[in-house]
Amino acid sequence: HDAKIAVMAPSMLGSMRPAWEEFAGSVAENPLLAIVVITVAWFTLNRATAFVLSLTFKFKHQKNLNNLASCLPSLIHCTTVTFFACEELVSRGWGVFSAPSEAFTALSSGTPGGDRQFDMLGANTPTGTTVIIWCCTYMFADTLFLVLYAPNMLFMAHHLATILYMTSSLALGFSDLSVCLCIFIGEMSNPINNFYFIADLLNHEGWISARWNMAGACALATAFFFIRLLYAPVGLCFLALETFFHRSGASAIPVFLRVIWCLLVLGTTYVSATFLQGLVGQIRSGKTTMKSQEESEKQS
């Protein structure tokens, strides 16, 4: 009568979940090898895309070619990592509007989720580790691309900050859910960001109207408003502070790491708010493209 009732945790993968867990297990067994191989693959995809574009189209600006080539890996990365980060969160008890600390607390009582509980202090799982490696390797490769072909201090600072968070979680072996939550919130708007960026590059080459970029800017501002400005301060920042400094068990993670992680989360949210403010200003002035900004600089 006291036998535990096994209940499947919710999963967006359905019957594909066991295959995902098997693949993640093999990745987690050799994380360093996976990091090297996948990083090389991301960078190779970037350069291969640039090569194909250079043969197919005639660009006026080499920088536009390189930046456009970086968008294909970015689109593949942001769509896949958003899905699998969300899968990891949902399968371990997270809900967008639920109280994570209260989600799936019933232990083997038949409640959906069984003995799973959303715990950002918990040990890393193979699937969580694989999500982090997938994201981290992209950041490694894109940072190398930025250094070699398209220097951008803001992007490089963002990448280095996220790499610090992810690699420290991997090395420590804890808090993969906090990383997955950051990944999910940070990457879910990136398909829109890529559309906005691609439209800007194509307009700068004279191939499409600036209206496409304006549409992308408006969509990106809307996404940032709801995700970064309304949800992130409570759903991410407050949750991280509450978890890392008020939850029992937080002391298992060195205090300097907890401070760094929270500062990174708070800093990224602040930068997102300032970016949104600047983007809204560009939309109101009707100058969201590189071409319109260059024309304004010439006039001034």
Side-chain angles (χ1 to χ4, degrees):
H1 296 287
D2 295 328
K4 296 182 177 180
I5 303 173
V7 181
M8 289 294 292
S11 171
M12 300 185 299
L13 288 171
S15 60
M16 295 296 294
R17 176 72 190 188
W20 164 237
E21 291 179 347
E22 183 179 355
F23 171 76
S26 63
V27 171
E29 285 180 2
N30 299 284
L32 293 179
L33 177 62
I35 288 172
V36 172
V37 170
I38 302 174
T39 299
V40 171
W42 280 126
F43 190 76
T44 301
L45 177 61
N46 181 307
R47 293 295 82 208
T49 304
F51 178 71
V52 172
L53 286 174
S54 67
L55 295 178
T56 310
F57 303 100
K58 186 176 181 180
F59 285 81
K60 299 175 184 176
H61 308 278
Q62 180 66 30
K63 187 176 181 179
N64 287 346
L65 166 62
N66 284 321
N67 281 327
L68 192 61
S70 72
C71 291
L72 177 61
S74 178
L75 280 167
I76 294 173
H77 167 258
C78 68
T79 51
T80 54
V81 83
T82 297
F83 176 83
F84 283 103
C86 186
E87 163 68 17
E88 189 66 18
L89 293 167
V90 170
S91 68
R92 292 168 66 183
W94 177 79
V96 177
F97 299 110
S98 64
S101 60
E102 297 174 5
F104 300 101
T105 54
L107 300 180
S108 308
S109 62
T111 302
D115 61 355
R116 292 174 181 252
Q117 178 183 3
F118 186 82
D119 181 11
M120 295 207 306
L121 298 172
N124 295 356
T125 65
T127 48
T129 296
T130 302
V131 172
I132 296 174
I133 288 175
W134 184 247
C135 186
C136 194
T137 52
Y138 169 78
M139 295 297 175
F140 278 134
D142 202 50
T143 301
L144 181 60
F145 159 75
L146 291 170
V147 170
L148 296 177
Y149 299 99
N152 185 305
M153 293 306 298
L154 180 61
F155 281 5
M156 286 191 286
H158 166 268
H159 286 10
L160 292 174
T162 56
I163 287 170
L164 174 61
Y165 198 146
M166 289 187 286
T167 54
S168 58
S169 174
L170 288 175
L172 192 65
F174 288 95
S175 201
D176 60 342
L177 282 179
S178 74
V179 181
C180 287
L181 185 57
C182 291
I183 290 172
F184 179 64
I185 291 175
E187 293 292 340
M188 65 188 303
S189 60
N190 262 353
I192 302 173
N193 191 34
N194 273 279
F195 176 84
Y196 164 70
F197 189 49
I198 291 170
D200 191 16
L201 295 171
L202 297 183
N203 173 259
H204 197 236
E205 289 292 321
W207 296 344
I208 65 171
S209 166
R211 287 177 293 182
W212 290 99
N213 178 258
M214 176 61 77
C218 292
L220 184 61
T222 302
F224 262 55
F225 176 76
F226 285 104
I227 299 169
R228 305 289 185 96
L229 200 62
L230 292 186
Y231 184 78
V234 177
L236 178 59
C237 297
F238 174 80
L239 180 60
L241 290 168
E242 190 271 338
T243 298
F244 293 135
F245 291 99
H246 295 284
R247 286 278 305 277
S248 60
S251 58
I253 299 174
V255 66
F256 77 92
L257 270 185
R258 287 182 278 142
V259 170
I260 290 174
W261 289 353
C262 287
L263 287 176
L264 291 176
V265 168
L266 292 169
T268 301
T269 303
Y270 172 77
V271 171
S272 298
T274 57
F275 171 80
L276 176 59
Q277 183 180 25
L279 182 61
V280 170
Q282 292 174 5
I283 292 171
R284 294 179 66 181
S285 68
K287 298 177 180 179
T288 60
T289 64
M290 287 188 289
K291 184 180 289 187
S292 63
Q293 292 165 13
E294 287 172 356
E295 291 172 352
S296 296
E297 290 175 1
K298 287 180 182 179
Q299 292 175 359
S300 61

